[in-house]
Amino acid sequence: MTTEIALRVRALLRRPVPGVYLNSAAEGLPLDSAGPAYERYLEAKSRGSSGRAQFDEIEHDARGSFAALLGVAPLDVGFVASTSRGLDAVIKSIEWLPGDSIVVPSTEFPTALFASRLLESRGVTVRRIQAGADGTLAEADVLAAIDETTKLVAVSVVSFRTGQHLPTAALTERAHAVGALVFLDAVQALGSVAFDIGDADFVCAASFKWLLGVHGAAGLYVNPRTLERTSTPYVGYRSVVDLFPTPPAHEQTYADGRRFQEGLPDYAALAVLHASLEQLAPLRAEMLEHNRGVTARLRDGLISLGAPVLAPDAPRGSIVAFESARYAAIAAALADAETTVWARDGRVRLSPHAYTTEEDVDSALAHLAQIGVA
């Protein structure tokens, strides 16, 4: 871990870091390339319909950059509005019957739990995998929940709740062995931690967190083999090969990740995403290494203060969280010290990124020592 890479990334930000910023799991900070990227979009938009060729170029560029980050073919990536929308589209592409099951850890983001409850109301069995007393999700428990009734395993690569980095190779292998599909929510992983998507069927991540983009765009990777086992969830303007087919009743959806697209995407968000990914590409390896070190420093410091850190010994992304009945007061006191964290649901969550220095972490820990973490 070095402070040098953090300072190099800080120099690329649109504005200076606001104090000690430890909330990238909620909102990443935009780069200076965001301004010209927006201008690229606005220049095309200002040309009216004549600018649509430039819109296509923006989408093409963003698809290529996102695919390169995942290590997949560009046309296996479609764009949706959010990670939640990606999961919704995947669920709707599966033919669910009473008695089928979905496997969802209890540490998933609420929208995944909401979606599973909606399926449950339609006769689908929901296997909610409970975490241990310290918040750690056991991989063995996830594997044990997958059986021949399972249609989908929906898991986060990095938990928004605890920061645990869950290995996914074994669960993907187990799911495929019984004919189930795997959806990986990578919104808290992509850009913050190194991971291999392996043979997953779907991987989705919005761009406004660790990728330092803006709201409105999420990349959805679709394994080509998976298209043969799912149906078209909807037919949209951008999911078909020809909008005006001949004859009219014979529309054809794309035979790749674009099948899951709907109407025109958020081209401004895609322009920013492409610019951010390209600007950070030469620094990516150093950034991920830095994140590992600075997050370990934060975790160790919190443990030394006596904070009840969630999943304390598990591999993790760039998130450390601890439970406290005083979560709101702790966050308010930190805010008074110009330190930004996330605090809800009985937890205080701190999420450093590549622009976080060792001094930032030490400053936050010093304030927490004064405030108290119980």
Side-chain angles (χ1 to χ4, degrees):
M1 177 180 62
T2 66
T3 296
E4 178 188 0
I5 184 62
L7 297 178
R8 289 166 66 190
V9 175
R10 283 182 174 219
L12 300 177
L13 295 177
R14 183 172 180 270
R15 291 185 178 178
V17 177
V20 174
Y21 189 73
L22 295 171
N23 200 19
S24 294
E27 294 286 349
L29 302 178
L31 301 175
D32 57 11
S33 58
Y38 263 109
E39 285 299 323
R40 181 187 182 191
Y41 162 73
L42 289 174
E43 175 62 27
K45 180 62 175 165
S46 297
R47 296 177 59 198
S49 58
S50 298
R52 287 200 166 182
Q54 290 174 265
F55 292 161
D56 290 341
E57 292 175 3
I58 289 172
E59 182 178 353
H60 173 272
D61 291 346
R63 177 174 284 108
S65 295
F66 190 88
L69 188 62
L70 283 178
V72 300
L75 292 183
D76 292 336
V77 171
F79 288 112
V80 292
S82 65
T83 312
S84 295
R85 182 64 183 117
L87 176 58
D88 178 63
V90 167
I91 288 175
K92 288 177 177 174
S93 73
I94 297 171
E95 182 181 359
W96 295 95
L97 300 173
D100 289 340
S101 68
I102 180 173
V103 173
V104 185
S106 62
T107 50
E108 288 303 297
F109 192 69
T111 52
L113 302 178
F114 299 160
S116 67
R117 281 200 287 272
L118 183 60
L119 284 173
E120 193 171 33
S121 71
R122 299 171 180 171
V124 174
T125 299
V126 178
R127 300 214 173 98
R128 300 182 185 87
I129 313 305
Q130 298 300 315
D134 68 354
T136 302
L137 182 70
E139 180 185 15
D141 290 343
V142 181
L143 293 172
I146 303 170
D147 65 17
E148 287 72 14
T149 70
T150 305
K151 284 286 185 70
L152 181 68
V153 180
V155 297
S156 289
V157 179
V158 171
S159 169
F160 93 104
R161 179 175 177 81
T162 68
Q164 180 178 355
H165 181 184
L166 186 69
T168 58
L171 70 86
T172 298
E173 182 179 2
R174 169 60 181 160
H176 288 174
V178 299
L181 301 174
V182 175
F183 175 91
L184 299 183
D185 179 339
V187 72
Q188 297 292 4
L190 197 59
S192 76
V193 64
F195 75 98
D196 184 357
I197 67 172
D199 200 31
D201 299 286
F202 304 96
V203 182
C204 193
S207 66
F208 68 94
K209 298 180 185 286
W210 305 99
L211 300 181
L212 308 188
V214 295
H215 305 96
L220 174 62
Y221 162 72
V222 184
N223 191 314
R225 294 193 311 242
T226 303
L227 291 170
E228 301 174 2
R229 303 181 51 207
T230 54
S231 60
T232 302
Y234 41 70
V235 180
Y237 173 20
R238 302 288 286 187
S239 64
V240 294
V241 176
D242 186 355
L243 187 60
F244 301 103
T246 303
H250 288 73
E251 68 277 354
Q252 179 185 357
T253 56
Y254 283 113
D256 51 46
R258 293 173 295 174
R259 177 185 296 182
F260 287 80
Q261 297 189 159
E262 298 175 279
L264 295 176
D266 189 328
Y267 289 112
L270 293 184
V272 174
L273 171 62
H274 169 65
S276 173
L277 292 179
E278 292 300 302
Q279 191 171 21
L280 294 178
L283 305 177
R284 185 71 62 191
E286 292 178 81
M287 289 171 59
L288 298 183
E289 180 63 29
H290 173 80
N291 284 359
R292 282 192 289 272
V294 78
T295 304
R297 187 185 188 97
L298 181 58
R299 179 203 58 197
D300 293 346
L302 286 170
I303 291 174
S304 70
L305 292 177
V309 172
L310 292 166
D313 300 319
R316 66 180 56 251
S318 298
I319 295 173
V320 186
F322 65 91
E323 295 180 321
S324 175
R326 297 175 51 243
Y327 66 93
I330 290 172
L334 287 173
D336 288 341
E338 298 186 323
T339 299
T340 304
V341 300
W342 184 96
R344 292 178 68 180
D345 193 30
R347 290 172 295 125
V348 178
R349 186 183 71 185
L350 303 92
S351 49
H353 200 6
Y355 37 67
T356 304
T357 64
E358 297 176 12
E359 291 75 15
D360 288 337
V361 169
D362 293 343
S363 173
L365 291 171
H367 287 304
L368 284 168
Q370 296 176 343
I371 297 166
V373 295

